[in-house]
Amino acid sequence: MTRILLVEDNEMNRDMLSRRLSRRGFDVLIAENGKAGVELAESQKPDLILMDMSLPVMDGWEATRRIKANPLTSRIPVIALTAHAMASDREMALEAGCDDYDSKPVDLPQLVRKIEQLLAI
C-alpha cells in the first residue's frame, strides 16, 4: 500500500484530505508541523509527502529543504500544498525542492493524478 505523509496544521484540512486519500487506498501518516514532518519522513520513509507550506514550528519551505538535503529522504517526492496560488509561490516551492505544487482548496482528482504521476502508479 502506498504511504503518504500529510504535513498539515489545519485540523479540518487534515481530516478531510486524509479521509479522502484513505478511501482511495492510500495509507496516510500525519504530521501537524514541519519539524514533525521531517522526523516522520526520516523514521517512516513514506512513498510521497504532501507538504503544507504555512506551518508552525518549522514552515514547509524549510522542512522540504531538510528532507531533500537528507540522503535518507532526498528521493521522496514532495508536493507543496498552499493557499498561495501565485506563479512566484510555485517557483519558490520548486526551488525549495518540491517535486510538484498544488493550490488549496485541493482538487482531489487532480492531486491524485499528480501523486500517481510522481510515483508512476
Side-chain angles (χ1 to χ4, degrees):
M1 181 179 287
T2 302
R3 297 178 88 193
I4 294 177
L5 171 57
L6 173 61
V7 187
E8 170 66 65
D9 64 321
N10 181 288
E11 184 177 1
M12 190 179 338
N13 291 343
R14 193 172 56 240
D15 291 345
M16 179 273 305
L17 192 51
S18 65
R19 278 196 321 270
R20 293 174 76 191
L21 289 168
S22 292
R23 280 197 299 266
R24 296 267 180 143
F26 297 107
D27 179 23
V28 182
L29 304 168
I30 295 174
E32 296 180 12
N33 63 64
K35 183 176 184 292
V38 170
E39 291 167 357
L40 270 176
E42 188 172 331
S43 67
Q44 299 298 311
K45 302 198 184 40
D47 299 297
L48 183 132
I49 299 169
L50 298 174
M51 180 73 71
D52 181 21
M53 298 284 92
S54 300
L55 294 165
V57 183
M58 178 189 301
D59 66 32
W61 315 107
E62 181 60 25
T64 299
R65 282 187 208 95
R66 290 185 187 198
I67 288 166
K68 291 299 188 171
N70 183 337
L72 297 173
T73 56
S74 64
R75 292 182 177 219
I76 301 171
V78 177
I79 299 176
L81 296 179
T82 180
H84 306 287
M86 309 219 346
S88 61
D89 293 315
R90 183 179 193 284
E91 291 168 16
M92 283 176 45
L94 296 176
E95 285 174 11
C98 294
D99 298 276
D100 208 335
Y101 170 94
D102 209 31
S103 60
K104 293 179 185 178
V106 171
D107 174 343
L108 190 65
Q110 176 179 293
L111 180 61
V112 169
R113 279 192 301 275
K114 289 180 179 189
I115 291 168
E116 290 172 345
Q117 286 173 347
L118 284 169
L119 297 177
I121 55 175

